[in-house]
Amino acid sequence: MGRFLVAGTIRTLALLFTWAVAAAPPFNSAVAQQRLNVVATTNIIADTARQIAGDDAAVTSLMGPGVDPHLYKASPGDLRLLSNAQTILYNGLHLEGRLSDALEKLKLRKPVVTISERIPPDRLRKPTPLAELYDPHIWFDVSIWILAAERIRDLLIERDPSHAPGYRERFDRYRGSLEELHTWCKDLAASVPAERRVLITAHDAFGYFGQAYGFEVRGIQGLSTDSEASLQDINFLINLIVTRKIPAVFAESSVSPKMVEALVEGARSRGHKLSIGGELYSDSLGAADSHAATYQEMVKRNLITITEALKR
Ligand SMILES: [Zn+2]
């Protein structure tokens, strides 16, 4: 009797196993390797590409949380990743200044696409009218970032047309979430009195943000962290902070806080109590547990930090 039961159980298990194998999706390493393999330079681009790609393409970011793209150099491991990628996404507008040689060489062998290439010049910002270079920090105007995301969608469809419906559907959802975010940003920014909307940060990363959401923006360093701030620049800012009674300045997660601390010291020595209003995510998303691990979370987290410090 017992033997029959055991035999019966084994038969049932065998049958279940057969069904399970038959019902399992055909997902194995061979299939995984067939997915389009995309490498992005910054984690902001990679997160956007992932939200559009879903499971249809594999997206890898060269730069992790807190990494400064202006100063980033490719390691031997990065060069391997780049040379194995089927397609590469980068910001362009000189953001990845020290990767440009490697990217130019790769362009001879595979699609290497700058996600800023289809943004109309009249939407791009120059720090001064006579400046030669455009500001690369396009992700801080959410309505401009939608255009960059569109370029990513089109590239995914071009390289992997069999998954076009999925790329389109996820992009439409992503665009919807960004349109909502853009409105949310405008509303929250407007809650800060106009005369208090002065945003001083470690480098000039927030120009698009200022234009879109109504802040006057000053960076201690220029568009790239590769540039040095002079004593004259620092003194100019301290003067501005003291005369306009600005309550807070902001550090950035991918830049050393040294210069921001110098402003605080300088203002205090002139009798003005200036605080560091918090750390903003400028050129990099935060780590997984930071509440700034996705593009949308990063934009929200920054604006909450800014408005809370400037309203005080
Ligand atoms: Zn920057």
Side-chain angles (χ1 to χ4, degrees), residues 12-23:
T12 311
L13 282 175
L15 204 60
L16 279 174
F17 180 71
T18 315
W19 283 343
V21 168

Side-chain angles (χ1 to χ4, degrees), residues 97-127:
R98 299 185 184 182
L99 287 179
S100 47
D101 285 351
L103 293 171
E104 286 305 318
K105 277 186 202 140
L106 286 157
K107 274 182 189 169
L108 304 172
R109 292 169 34 208
K110 62 182 81 182
V112 178
V113 169
T114 160
I115 56 154
S116 55
E117 70 184 6
R118 291 195 191 155
I119 297 171
D122 64 354
R123 305 279 327 256
L124 293 175
R125 165 188 182 258
K126 282 185 173 176

Side-chain angles (χ1 to χ4, degrees), residues 72-233:
Y72 190 80
K73 287 185 197 152
S75 68
D78 292 339
L79 292 174
R80 260 196 309 279
L81 270 178
L82 290 166
S83 77
N84 290 335
Q86 285 166 291
T87 182
I88 296 165
L89 295 167
Y90 73 110
N91 190 82
L93 304 172
H94 302 273
L95 179 78
E96 303 95 336
R98 299 185 184 182
L99 287 179
S100 47
D101 285 351
L103 293 171
E104 286 305 318
K105 277 186 202 140
L106 286 157
K107 274 182 189 169
L108 304 172
R109 292 169 34 208
K110 62 182 81 182
V112 178
V113 169
T114 160
I115 56 154
S116 55
E117 70 184 6
R118 291 195 191 155
I119 297 171
D122 64 354
R123 305 279 327 256
L124 293 175
R125 165 188 182 258
K126 282 185 173 176
T128 58
L130 293 179
E132 273 178 42
L133 302 180
Y134 286 117
D135 180 347
H137 304 88
I138 49 173
W139 53 94
F140 279 129
D141 177 336
V142 178
S143 67
I144 293 180
W145 195 243
I146 291 174
L147 303 175
E150 237 170 48
R151 182 68 193 96
I152 297 175
R153 174 203 61 191
D154 292 348
L155 177 76
L156 291 170
I157 292 173
E158 277 160 37
R159 306 309 306 168
D160 181 22
S162 66
H163 292 111
Y167 295 137
R168 283 204 186 91
E169 192 190 310
R170 281 182 297 267
F171 169 78
D172 289 346
R173 227 178 302 144
Y174 184 72
R175 179 174 51 200
S177 104
L178 264 52
E179 282 165 353
E180 266 175 42
L181 178 64
H182 190 53
T183 308
W184 180 91
C185 287
K186 282 189 193 166
D187 291 347
L188 186 60
S191 72
V192 181
E195 71 279 5
R196 285 186 169 234
R197 274 186 246 143
V198 185
L199 177 60
I200 301 176
T201 66
H203 85 297
D204 190 14
F206 290 86
Y208 290 100
F209 177 89
Q211 280 180 358
Y213 309 114
F215 286 81
E216 180 182 337
V217 171
R218 308 269 175 176
I220 305 172
Q221 284 175 285
L223 284 181
S224 169
T225 51
D226 225 351
S227 64
E228 289 284 320
S230 69
L231 197 59
Q232 205 184 356
D233 298 331

Side-chain angles (χ1 to χ4, degrees), residues 21-71:
V21 168
F27 190 85
N28 55 41
S29 60
V31 172
Q33 278 165 12
Q34 284 165 16
R35 288 200 301 167
L36 182 69
N37 168 5
V38 182
V39 170
T41 52
T42 71
N43 59 2
I44 302 173
I45 301 171
D47 171 66
T48 301
R50 265 186 216 120
Q51 293 194 47
I52 301 168
D55 288 333
D56 290 336
V59 181
T60 309
S61 172
L62 280 191
M63 300 178 211
V67 172
D68 179 349
H70 302 287
L71 304 179

